[in-house]
Amino acid sequence: MIIHLIKQTGIEMANQIAFENKAFLIEKEDKFVLISSSSQKEFDSKYNKYVQDSFVFPNDMQLASKDYMSTTREIQWGNVKIGGNTNNTVMIAGPCSVESEEQIQESSALLKELNLTMLRGGCYKPRTSPYSFQGMGLDGLKLLAKMRKEHGLAVITEVRDATHVEEVIEYSDIIQVGAKAMYDQGILRACAKTQKPVMIKRGFGSTLQETVQCAEFVLSGGNDNVAICERGIRTFETKTRFTLDLCGVAYLKEFTNLPVILDPSHAMGHAYGIADLTRACTAMGVDGLIIEVHPDPTVAKSDASQQLTHPQFKDLIKTLQPVATAVGRVIV
Ligand code: PEP
Ligand code: MN
């Protein structure tokens, strides 16, 4: 249940009511927001004089629900806004991993050439094997910060576990919670305490409900700036790396107020399908796309097979705006 209390309730009384209802309490400029379990359907009438609004829900998808907020939440992502009344589809691009200054400079130059503003690049890589490249860590984050300073780009980079979450929060403009890290409570709770935007990637074995509930951990701690990224789920199919769940995307758009970002690169796992998939994703009218592109994918230290070359990415970009226009969107 979500209850809005008028500001005149005062912080002490709001805390007492939150305590009695085992609720989270978020103080906003104009109200207090209490969030308790969705199993609570009623509220003690003795507090009625403080209540501005109340909302009940069939399950714990509450702050993220369209029943609570009927439009997609508006989030400032670097220099661009997504969600709300905007019709922006933000294009995030860059390598899977930050590998060297030379490499990330080349990626930044590509974005600048295409008038794009959002650079991706992992520094803490959640690899399937301990013997593979694990990322440059803090040195990589510093390179991303340098790209922001030199080129005015906003940077998004992933957090693998709670040991370096504070570093990622400090250095990134948008915090990416990786698919394998989605359930990490240390990460989610740290993300709840900042106001920086967070993009949670859906775990490849996670349901939509579970994914949205991870977003609820961040939202209920007071950070309103959460988006979900669909990056493919595991099915019986093995010819492609994962299966991009576009039905799930339709569900998220219909029932949640979270901006939705689509990641065709990790879903496909092979460069050959990325352009077609990206156009299909764009046609769904989503809030953003995240694509892996590398100056020389053949020598990439992670996800080599799925990264586009710069010419391939440029060709793709040329074809996207007409698709976006057809569904009332602008690629930014
Ligand atoms: C990535 O974005 O490089 C990545 C590791 O993605 P995911 O968490 O979706 O596997
Ligand atoms: Mn990757």
Side-chain angles (χ1 to χ4, degrees):
M1 185 173 194
I2 299 180
I3 300 145
H4 288 177
L5 302 176
I6 56 173
K7 201 72 203 212
Q8 290 78 0
T9 308
I11 186 68
E12 258 177 47
M13 178 56 81
N15 266 321
Q16 184 187 318
I17 301 173
F19 179 76
E20 279 177 25
N21 287 277
K22 298 186 184 66
F24 285 87
L25 173 67
I26 303 172
E27 184 168 2
K28 299 274 183 196
E29 231 168 75
D30 57 336
K31 59 178 170 288
F32 294 98
V33 181
L34 258 63
I35 316 107
S36 65
S37 160
S38 58
S39 59
Q40 182 176 358
K41 307 290 181 196
E42 277 170 12
F43 186 63
D44 195 332
S45 60
K46 74 177 182 231
Y47 295 123
N48 274 356
K49 64 178 175 199
Y50 300 119
V51 176
Q52 195 175 63
D53 253 323
S54 63
F55 310 80
V56 290
F57 301 90
N59 57 54
D60 280 349
M61 197 168 91
Q62 301 191 96
L63 290 163
S65 164
K66 272 265 165 70
D67 291 337
Y68 178 58
M69 190 187 285
S70 59
T71 52
T72 308
R73 48 184 71 232
E74 187 175 289
I75 305 182
Q76 185 75 40
W77 262 29
N79 299 327
V80 300
K81 275 196 169 73
I82 57 167
N85 293 323
T86 77
N87 52 2
N88 290 336
T89 297
V90 67
M91 171 57 85
I92 308 152
C96 177
S97 301
V98 177
E99 297 170 6
S100 66
E101 173 154 5
E102 192 190 2
Q103 173 233 25
I104 206 70
Q105 283 285 11
E106 283 186 55
S107 303
S108 302
L110 174 72
L111 265 65
K112 294 298 282 181
E113 185 186 335
L114 296 169
N115 273 327
L116 298 173
T117 62
M118 202 140 316
L119 175 67
R120 65 147 289 147
C123 302
Y124 293 95
K125 299 304 297 178
R127 305 306 299 280
T128 348
S129 164
Y131 310 115
S132 312
F133 176 62
Q134 305 292 304
M136 287 182 75
L138 183 57
D139 289 341
L141 292 180
K142 288 182 177 163
L143 286 177
L144 288 176
K146 192 167 180 191
M147 296 308 105
R148 172 172 46 231
K149 197 160 171 226
E150 287 181 10
H151 306 287
L153 298 167
V155 300
I156 174 165
T157 191
E158 73 194 272
V159 48
R160 182 180 60 207
D161 61 63
T163 60
H164 53 262
V165 62
E166 299 302 337
E167 262 169 39
V168 172
I169 291 172
E170 182 186 337
Y171 281 89
S172 64
D173 296 291
I174 294 120
I175 305 147
Q176 173 178 330
V177 180
K180 291 175 192 146
M182 187 191 92
Y183 290 114
D184 188 314
Q185 299 279 319
I187 294 176
L188 297 175
R189 288 175 201 279
C191 288
K193 288 197 195 110
T194 170
Q195 287 303 308
K196 277 206 178 163
V198 182
M199 181 182 84
I200 300 178
K201 294 188 101 177
R202 177 184 182 185
F204 47 77
S206 306
T207 65
L208 293 163
Q209 178 77 36
E210 287 162 346
T211 309
V212 175
Q213 283 181 195
C214 289
E216 292 277 340
F217 270 98
V218 181
L219 296 169
S220 61
N223 185 352
D224 288 332
N225 307 308
V226 185
I228 295 281
C229 176
E230 163 60 32
R231 44 78 74 210
I233 53 173
R234 186 156 278 170
T235 65
F236 55 81
E237 186 53 71
T238 55
K239 297 289 187 211
T240 58
R241 190 178 181 192
F242 293 99
T243 299
L244 193 60
D245 183 14
L246 296 185
C247 297
V249 170
Y251 173 89
L252 292 170
K253 284 180 62 181
E254 181 73 13
F255 293 104
T256 80
N257 56 44
L258 304 170
V260 178
I261 313 299
L262 272 166
D263 176 349
S265 298
H266 288 87
M268 188 69 209
H270 305 280
Y272 74 85
I274 306 294
D276 280 345
L277 264 181
T278 307
R279 285 184 286 269
C281 293
T282 304
M284 287 204 73
V286 288
D287 302 286
L289 300 156
I290 180 164
I291 310 284
E292 287 190 343
V293 44
H294 192 287
D296 182 0
T298 60
V299 299
K301 291 186 174 168
S302 59
D303 286 349
S305 62
Q306 71 198 27
Q307 302 204 57
L308 300 185
T309 62
H310 288 194
Q312 283 170 336
F313 185 69
K314 284 189 213 175
D315 284 348
L316 164 61
I317 284 286
K318 275 187 224 142
T319 68
L320 279 191
Q321 191 52 55
V323 181
T325 305
V327 294
R329 292 261 162 184
V330 186
I331 305 281
V332 291

